[in-house]
Amino acid sequence: MKKIVAFIPAHLASVRFPRKVMFEIHGLPMIEHVRRRAVLSGAFSEVIVATCDDEIDDLIKKYGGKVIRTANTHRNGTSRVAEAVEHVECSHVVLLQADEPLLLPEDLVYFSNSIKSDDSDTLSWNATGPIEDPSELDRHSFVKCFVNQSSRILFCFRRSPAYGKFEDSIKNIRKVLGIIGYTKDFLLKISSMPSADFETVEFIEQMRIIENEFVLRSVNFDHTLPSINEPGEVEEVLRVLRNEEQRKYLEQVKVVSKN
């Protein structure tokens, strides 16, 4: 029986957008939008925030959420969650990025079910979505990947190495979304390994999996939603929040508190 726990790693010292997880959207901090949507999905046994910051700890507890404190020395969310999950009973872990306030609960159910139904020896999964505009291939604020015909992610990058026509390239190039899953044992293993070369150069955590020749499986979504990596991306997220589907979840999020 697979038991999946969701973790949201968070800290205040974001380089490109300091304190972005606390950025208020419709009366709630961004991280609380993410946490509540994860709770709404019902896809996970627990939803836990992993943080080193008192302010985030206090905020989440105020809203009835669960927090596990971590060291303040982590350089990425993967190692932060690895510390937090060590004493949590589960078989699988799903990392949700705290800057994805538009997460759809049904997408989290789909991702969770993809892990549960995977009877292969896969140890890690990442949600991916389609690239919709040629300019996105060289947009450095989010990560892209090359996915082969068996849905294995072979390479991740920020600026495209593709030379061919856009309509041909996007058959295999997809946007890496902020939903990544591991078996608990594999997360602890990969987090204890040294940083990989391209991971360090490009600041892409998934490359540690790929460079060490483990399988990272793409869970293919048929859509993408904007996240907030930089201040200039806020307006796009606010615009999407005005559509009918997002307004429905926004109303539900406002009444959710405890996991």
Side-chain angles (χ1 to χ4, degrees), residues 195-241:
S195 297
D197 292 340
F198 201 74
E199 170 197 3
T200 303
V201 171
E202 292 287 292
F203 302 101
I204 300 175
E205 297 171 43
Q206 291 89 335
M207 283 304 299
R208 188 179 308 185
I209 299 171
I210 296 168
E211 289 190 68
N212 283 286
E213 301 183 3
F214 295 107
V215 173
L216 177 59
R217 188 77 61 200
S218 171
V219 178
N220 296 339
F221 288 6
D222 62 4
H223 59 273
T224 61
L225 291 166
S227 56
I228 299 178
N229 301 290
E230 301 174 340
E233 295 169 335
V234 169
E235 185 54 43
E236 185 178 7
V237 167
L238 295 178
R239 177 183 58 78
V240 174
L241 268 172

Side-chain angles (χ1 to χ4, degrees), residues 75-125:
R75 301 185 67 180
N76 57 55
T78 306
S79 66
R80 187 180 303 281
V81 170
E83 179 192 346
V85 78
E86 194 162 357
H87 301 295
V88 174
E89 183 185 349
C90 62
S91 61
H92 292 71
V93 183
V94 171
L95 273 68
L96 304 177
Q97 299 301 323
D99 57 8
E100 300 265 359
L102 301 179
L103 281 176
L104 296 176
E106 59 264 36
D107 286 346
L108 299 180
V109 171
Y110 176 70
F111 188 83
S112 177
N113 287 341
S114 296
I115 292 175
K116 290 176 180 177
S117 63
D118 192 335
D119 57 4
S120 70
D121 58 357
T122 300
L123 300 174
S124 56
W125 302 258

